[in-house]
């Protein structure tokens, strides 16, 4: 485990190098995870080690307030997150353009970083990025507020105390503290909408991946239409959790994107007939029904 001070904040970072070490030609890949219930592990285990084995110099880190990074009271605006990432690259001595891979909020951050720090970015891979031209900050703040309400529901508290398991309980408690003890929800209100003009002038190649059954799939076409060098991949029968649901394909896709982009992208073949669907309680951001069924005694 390593820690660096970036933009005045202590960040937990892990660097994965190819066997034999990174060379001057090794692509540098920076992986940016999602918000609140996410941390460095989602990328480290799913894509990080695979890309390092393929020859990449991979940088994974915990966002401010997440995982093992410092949880400051404030500083959770998108501009702060971009400054943290720029400071991280400076602290690590990265002096050439990097390939940024982001998931969910991490993808939104990656896109904003590419617009603000264009010279530092070689390409962007955006997995399920929340993307709006208008009202992005309000939507993100609303989502975080609803998540906090759902997490503090009596049903959820009972489940955490009695049946959730150690790992889930630990992650949920950390998320509760992040939402209740920091300004993250209100800071999200300051998130500016993306500029259509700036996106249309973006000179960076972009790979965007969405699940066909994602609750934000409606935003995919707008992103692809605005960004000149955008390759849009929509995975049939998948949801916003595509990083977890289609990990194997994403490994193939990233290897293609980083090393063999002049050829057609690899076809997606579902390994099973399973269809992933976004549950209604997820879109409504409420606790799942019957969360504690099976532990309570039957009535009557």
């Amino acid at each position: 485990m390593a820690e660096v001070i970036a933009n005045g904040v202590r960040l937990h970072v892990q660097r994965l190098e190819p066997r034999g070490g990174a060379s001057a030609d090794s692509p540098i890949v920076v992986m940016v995870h999602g918000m609140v219930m996410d941390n460095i592990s989602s990328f480290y285990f799913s894509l990080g080690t695979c890309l390092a084995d393929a020859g990449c110099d991979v940088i994974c880190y915990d966002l401010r307030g997440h995982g093992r990074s410092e949880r400051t009271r404030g500083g959770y605006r998108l501009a702060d997150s971009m400054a943290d990432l720029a400071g991280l690259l400076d602290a690590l001595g990265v002096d050439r353009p990097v390939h940024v891979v982001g998931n969910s909020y991490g993808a939104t951050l990656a896109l904003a970083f590419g617009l603000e720090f264009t010279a530092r970015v070689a390409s962007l891979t955006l997995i399920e990025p929340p993307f709006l031209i208008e009202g992005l900050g309000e939507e993100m703040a609303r989502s975080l507020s609803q998540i906090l309400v759902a997490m503090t529901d009596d049903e959820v508290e009972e489940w955490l105390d009695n049946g959730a398991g150690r790992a889930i309980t630990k992650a949920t408690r950390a998320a509760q503290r992040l939402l209740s003890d920091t300004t993250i929800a209100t800071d999200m209100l300051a998130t500016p909408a993306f500029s259509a003009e700036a996106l249309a002038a973006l000179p960076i190649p972009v790979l965007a991946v969405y699940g066909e059954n994602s609750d934000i799939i409606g935003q995919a076409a707008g992103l692809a239409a605005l960004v000149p060098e955008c390759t849009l991949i929509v995975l049939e029968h998948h949801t916003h959790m595509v990083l977890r649901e289609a990990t194997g394909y994403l490994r193939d896709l990233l290897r293609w994107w980083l090393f063999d982009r002049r050829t057609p992208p690899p076809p997606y073949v579902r390994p099973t007939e399973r269809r992933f669907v976004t549950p209604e309680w997820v879109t409504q951001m409420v606790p799942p029904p019957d969360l504690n069924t099976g532990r309570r005694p039957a009535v009557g």
Side-chain angles (χ1 to χ4, degrees):
M1 181 181 74
E3 294 180 346
V4 300
I5 301 299
N7 192 31
V9 180
R10 176 180 51 77
L11 298 180
H12 167 225
V13 59
Q14 295 284 353
R15 198 159 187 172
L16 306 171
E17 294 187 343
R19 292 186 178 91
S23 69
D25 297 327
S26 299
I28 302 176
V29 180
V30 180
M31 318 206 86
V32 190
H33 65 73
M35 186 182 289
V36 181
M37 283 292 288
D38 206 356
N39 58 47
I40 194 174
S41 64
S42 63
F43 267 132
Y44 186 100
F45 293 109
S46 60
L47 301 180
T49 54
C50 166
L51 292 180
D53 289 342
C56 298
D57 181 2
V58 180
I59 299 169
C60 298
Y61 75 105
D62 280 320
L63 294 172
R64 176 195 298 245
H66 295 71
R68 296 178 182 270
S69 287
E70 181 180 357
R71 188 172 72 241
T72 59
R73 168 66 180 164
Y76 295 92
R77 298 172 303 163
L78 189 61
D80 298 316
S81 297
M82 287 192 288
D84 289 350
L85 177 51
L88 175 67
L89 297 178
D90 291 340
L92 295 176
V94 176
D95 58 2
R96 57 188 174 97
V98 300
H99 302 270
V100 186
V101 180
N103 180 50
S104 192
Y105 170 76
T108 301
L109 169 55
L111 180 57
F113 188 82
L115 290 167
E116 184 70 19
F117 296 91
T118 304
R120 304 197 75 164
V121 179
S123 77
L124 295 169
T125 297
L126 313 176
I127 303 172
E128 281 283 321
F131 166 80
L132 291 173
I133 296 297
E134 296 180 359
L136 180 60
E138 291 83 352
E139 177 64 21
M140 295 178 75
R142 181 190 66 81
S143 296
L144 290 181
S145 297
Q146 286 183 298
I147 290 171
L148 177 59
V149 171
M151 280 187 172
T152 54
D153 181 88
D154 289 343
E155 286 280 321
V156 173
E157 287 295 330
E158 180 181 345
W159 178 64
L160 292 174
D161 288 339
N162 298 289
R166 182 177 179 275
I168 294 177
T169 299
K170 181 179 178 181
T172 305
R173 294 299 186 201
Q176 288 174 332
R177 290 191 295 270
L178 176 64
L179 289 168
S180 62
D181 297 347
T182 74
T183 61
I184 188 170
T186 54
D187 283 357
M188 284 298 102
L189 282 171
T191 303
F194 284 104
S195 162
E197 293 77 13
L199 288 167
L202 185 65
I204 300 169
V206 174
L207 173 64
V209 183
Y210 283 87
E212 180 189 49
N213 294 335
S214 168
D215 54 316
I216 60 172
I217 183 59
Q219 302 174 18
L223 175 62
L226 282 170
V227 176
E229 293 187 68
C230 183
T231 300
L232 175 62
I233 304 290
V234 177
L235 298 185
E236 188 179 17
H237 305 309
H238 285 282
T239 71
H240 186 66
M241 304 300 290
V242 66
L243 176 60
R244 180 180 301 174
E245 297 167 356
T247 304
Y249 177 70
L250 290 178
R251 290 171 178 166
D252 293 339
L253 189 65
L254 263 293
R255 284 190 290 254
W256 164 79
W257 179 252
L258 295 169
F259 295 105
D260 201 21
R261 199 182 310 159
R262 286 174 291 184
T263 65
Y268 176 59
V269 179
R270 280 193 297 155
T272 70
E273 289 301 312
R274 181 177 180 183
R275 299 184 179 208
F276 296 91
V277 179
T278 302
E280 185 177 359
W281 60 265
V282 171
T283 58
Q284 294 180 354
M285 297 184 189
V286 297
D290 304 322
L291 188 63
N292 295 291
T293 297
R295 194 177 60 256
R296 293 173 178 166
V299 177

